């Protein structure tokens, strides 16, 4: 098992495997995202309270979910890299950060657009949006720290420490922000983003989440191949492949 | 020579060394405190001199200023020790590095965090903070600046060897410090509304102990990376 | 004072600096009573090798062992028995020579005032004991760093260019200190391109290419 894992984690093997895997993730991702979009925008019934405006939920909620999920994946990969000294895990953490940051940005943008018809302003200090904003700061800090090291191996380990400290903090941040908004906002405003979920609404939501997951897998495998090329540019297996 | 120094003796030496060094450079130590006072002066100038209006944001302003002043001071926490080679010797003393670094952070807190706490009632009063809120403000800042010293210590250990370290440190640490700000300024707000601040204060204490238990591990891992170059 | 039979071994160390594969399968062995001198032109990886042995730099592959146990995972025990003198003297400019020793060597050993004075005397800067390190000359600073080594109580000395900035008398002092340490049963490892104990019987060489 252990030897198998090290074989899998060896750069040439991983590079070829990821190349073969990518299309099996990319096309289903595209299909599911299109299906969920159609289902959400056309087929699902309009919300009795919010009308058609709620349909942005089908992008907002899955991307918010993905932004948290990818941060956890990143921290776990970083910890694996730090503890077992597996370079591929560090590379996966590094490759995940920009994808996670993009989902966070998407969640913020869609949340803000959703806010306009709901609350009449582009920005509301609502718990979920504030948490997403802080999460975006965490992603940006992680990427800034990585880019300020010249030596990729030091960048790997320093950013891994940061990702682990960050992931311990994420629940604390989330909880503190929730606590903060309940104290400051009248309850009537926060009620709106919890519409009575109809089963018809739930199905496209789940399809979208699965689609986003597959998209993440596809984007990660592409970026990871790039990372491997960058890191192994002097290795003999690469010159042979080329 | 009478044998190995104990961990406690070693940590004590680190603590005393930093106080000795600070004593010889007291003007540098005073800078964050002056910065703190200057920043809090900005708010009345930018908003209104009316104490009744300022009072509503006084707790938050004092907290934000204390956060920024602490961060400013943390930037140089490990720099000179890494540059002159002292830190690589600390890594190789055979003593647990986390304890030595925690002692260093503790002395740093005594020199920068504690003066901020002591100064805060004066600064708060200038912003209209009522006398009744002094105790809560100081207690929340006591826990908050101590936690921030540990969090900032991790950030400073990570950024000590890199270019543009000072801005980066703030970018890394400020998001992590946001719960402290929320609980700390809310505790002050609660007491000003005549309610009990014990809830957020307990949460601050919990975060402090969490950072105290995990901080040394993270700091020593980060320092080992930083002395590699 | 120093236990016999100590052995430091490095097996097939490989290390990279950035894009350069700087150490290729470097192995060596030092036993108590021996002094290993590492030579080679600039940039060949002498400092890198010493820092890998100290555990300051991670090696790509290979193993360092002390008393026949791998150093990795038991680094505190290893560090307690070794002292490193690098390119930097690890001094605080604002502290006096005495304070520098107390605050750094004191982290390892419980020191009395007479211990500190004896070490300062041995390296010939006792009269400078209460001057801040900033007002010492480059050679005196190096001597102060050597005094720290004497107070470390370590069995293994790892020295990176120990005679930098030293005059003839200073070089003779370093040679005497290493000889005394090794004759007491200690081990020493030094990177140097000058002459250093070149005719001594305890000398062994490792030439890096």
């Amino acid at each position: 098992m252990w030897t198998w894992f090290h074989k899998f984690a060896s750069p040439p093997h991983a590079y070829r495997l990821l190349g073969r895997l990518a299309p099996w993730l990319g096309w289903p991702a595209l299909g599911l995202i299109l299906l969920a979009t159609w289902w959400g925008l056309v087929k699902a019934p309009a919300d009795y309270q919010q009308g058609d405006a709620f349909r942005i939920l089908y992008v907002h909620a899955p991307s918010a979910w993905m932004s948290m999920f990818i941060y956890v994946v990143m921290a776990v990969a970083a910890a694996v890299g730090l503890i077992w000294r597996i370079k591929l895990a560090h590379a996966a953490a590094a490759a995940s950060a920009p994808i996670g940051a993009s989902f966070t940005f998407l969640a913020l943008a869609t949340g803000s657009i959703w806010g306009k018809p709901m609350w009449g302003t582009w920005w509301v200090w609502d718990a979920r949006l504030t948490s997403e904003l802080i999460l975006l700061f965490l992603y940006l800090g992680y990427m800034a720290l990585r880019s300020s090291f010249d030596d990729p191996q030091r960048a790997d380990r320093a950013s891994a420490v940061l990702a682990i400290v960050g992931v311990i903090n994420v629940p604390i941040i989330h909880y503190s922000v929730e606590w903060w908004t309940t104290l400051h906002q009248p309850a009537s405003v926060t009620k709106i983003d919890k519409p009575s979920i109809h089963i018809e609404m739930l199905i496209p939501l789940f399809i979208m989440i699965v689609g986003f997951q597959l998209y993440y897998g596809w984007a990660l495998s592409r970026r990871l191949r790039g990372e491997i090329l960058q890191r192994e540019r002097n290795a003999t297996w690469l010159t042979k492949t080329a | 020579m009478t044998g190995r120094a104990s961990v406690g003796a070693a940590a004590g030496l680190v603590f005393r060394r930093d106080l000795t060094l600070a004593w010889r450079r007291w003007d540098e130590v005073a800078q964050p405190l002056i910065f703190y006072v200057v920043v809090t002066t900005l708010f009345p100038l930018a908003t209104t001199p009316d104490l009744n209006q300022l009072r509503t944001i006084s707790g938050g302003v004092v907290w934000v200023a204390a956060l920024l002043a602490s961060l400013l001071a943390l930037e140089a926490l490990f720099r000179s020790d890494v540059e002159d080679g002292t830190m690589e010797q600390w890594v190789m003393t055979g003593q647990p590095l986390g304890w030595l670094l925690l002692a260093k952070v503790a002395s740093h807190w005594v020199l920068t965090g504690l003066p901020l706490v002591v100064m805060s009632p004066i600064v708060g009063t200038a912003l209209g903070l009522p006398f009744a809120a002094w105790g809560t403000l100081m207690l929340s800042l006591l826990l908050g600046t101590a936690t921030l010293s540990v969090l900032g210590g991790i950030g400073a250990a990570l950024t000590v060897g890199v270019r543009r370290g000072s801005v980066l440190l703030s970018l890394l640490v400020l998001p992590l410090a946001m719960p402290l700000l929320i609980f700390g300024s809310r505790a002050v707000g609660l007491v000003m509304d005549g309610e009990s601040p014990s809830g957020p204060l307990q949460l601050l204490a919990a975060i402090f102990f969490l950072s105290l238990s995990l901080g040394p591990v993270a700091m020593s891992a980060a320092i080992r990376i930083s002395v590699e170059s | 004072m120093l236990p016999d039979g100590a052995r430091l071994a490095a097996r097939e160390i490989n290390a990279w600096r950035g894009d350069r594969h700087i150490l290729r399968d470097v192995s060596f062995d030092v036993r108590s009573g021996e002094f290993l001198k590492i030579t080679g032109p600039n940039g060949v990886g002498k400092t890198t090798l010493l820092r890998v042995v100290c555990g300051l730099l991670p090696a790509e592959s290979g193993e360092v062992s002390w008393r026949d146990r791998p150093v990795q995972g038991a680094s505190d025990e290893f560090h307690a028995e070794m002292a490193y003198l690098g390119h930097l003297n690890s001094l605080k400019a604002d502290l006096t020579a005495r304070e520098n020793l107390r605050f750094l060597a004191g982290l390892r050993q419980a020191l009395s005032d007479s211990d500190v004075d004896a070490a300062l005397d041995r390296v010939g800067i006792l009269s400078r004991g209460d001057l801040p390190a900033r007002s010492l000359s480059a050679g005196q600073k190096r001597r102060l760093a050597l005094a720290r080594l004497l107070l470390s109580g370590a069995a293994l000395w790892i020295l990176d260019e120990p005679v930098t900035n030293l005059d003839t008398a200073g070089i003779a002092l370093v040679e005497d200190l290493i000889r005394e340490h090794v004759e007491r049963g200690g081990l020493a490892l030094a990177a140097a391109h000058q002459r250093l104990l070149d005719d001594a019987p305890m000398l062994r060489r490792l030439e890096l290419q």
Side-chain angles (χ1 to χ4, degrees), chain B residues 3 5 24 81 84-85 89 95, chain C residues 84 90 92 99 107-108 110:
Chain B
R24 285 176 201 171
D81 282 326
D84 67 21
Q89 292 295 334
Q95 307 283 9
Chain C
Y84 172 68
S90 313
K92 290 299 245 203
E99 286 170 331
L107 298 181
R108 308 173 57 105

Side-chain angles (χ1 to χ4, degrees), chain A residues 35-140:
Chain A
L35 175 67
T37 309
W38 169 78
W39 201 317
L41 291 188
V42 182
K43 193 161 178 290
D47 185 63
Y48 76 101
Q49 207 176 0
Q50 303 182 25
D52 281 332
F54 90 98
R55 292 180 193 276
I56 202 163
L57 174 91
Y58 295 121
V59 183
H60 174 73
S63 45
W65 195 82
M66 286 304 291
S67 66
M68 302 270 179
F69 173 78
I70 294 176
Y71 197 89
V72 174
V73 170
M74 190 176 91
V76 170
V80 168
L82 204 57
I83 296 166
W84 288 290
R85 294 162 183 270
I86 296 170
K87 284 190 201 162
L88 189 69
H90 281 306
S96 292
I99 310 172
S102 311
F103 273 116
T104 316
F105 185 78
L106 189 62
L108 277 173
T110 51
S112 162
I113 293 167
W114 192 13
K116 185 63 182 163
M118 286 301 99
W119 296 306
T121 54
W122 291 109
W123 181 259
V124 168
W125 289 97
D126 136 273
R128 190 189 298 156
L129 284 181
T130 311
S131 284
E132 284 293 318
L133 185 63
I134 300 177
L135 188 65
L136 183 65
F137 295 155
L138 290 181
Y139 273 119
L140 293 178

Side-chain angles (χ1 to χ4, degrees), chain B residues 96-172:
Chain B
L97 180 60
W99 284 99
L100 302 185
L101 297 177
L102 196 62
K104 186 170 172 63
V105 166
S107 72
H108 182 266
W109 177 78
V110 168
L111 291 164
T112 59
L114 199 55
L116 295 182
V117 175
V118 173
M119 191 68 124
S120 58
I122 300 168
V123 170
T125 306
L127 295 168
L129 189 86
F131 177 72
W134 279 26
T136 305
L137 179 68
M138 288 176 77
L139 189 57
S140 69
L141 279 174
L142 200 69
L143 292 165
T145 52
T147 311
L148 189 68
S149 288
V150 179
L151 280 179
I154 300 171
L158 285 172
T159 55
V160 65
V162 306
R163 295 166 266 125
R164 299 173 276 114
S166 55
V167 183
L168 185 59
L169 174 68
S170 307
L171 185 57
L172 301 188

Side-chain angles (χ1 to χ4, degrees), chain A residues 71 82 134 137-138 140-142 144-145 147-151 153-155 157-159 161-162 165-166 168-169 172-177 179-180 183-184, chain B residues 151 154 158-159 161-164 168 171-172 175-179 182-183 186-187 190 199-200 203 207 210 214 218-219 221-222 224-229:
Chain A
Y71 197 89
L82 204 57
I134 300 177
F137 295 155
L138 290 181
L140 293 178
Y142 176 90
L145 182 65
S147 69
S148 57
F149 281 96
D150 294 323
D151 176 4
Q153 305 204 0
R154 287 178 72 199
R157 282 177 298 138
S159 58
V161 172
L162 183 69
V165 172
I168 295 170
N169 259 274
I172 300 175
I173 292 171
H174 194 76
Y175 172 74
S176 69
V177 169
W179 183 83
W180 167 73
L183 277 174
H184 286 270
Chain B
L151 280 179
I154 300 171
L158 285 172
T159 55
V162 306
R163 295 166 266 125
R164 299 173 276 114
L168 185 59
L171 185 57
L172 301 188
L176 300 178
M178 283 176 186
I182 291 175
F183 294 133
R186 188 61 204 160
L190 280 174
L203 290 167
I207 299 176
L210 183 70
L214 299 178
M219 272 192 286
R224 282 176 212 276
I225 297 161
S226 289
V227 296
E228 253 175 41
S229 55

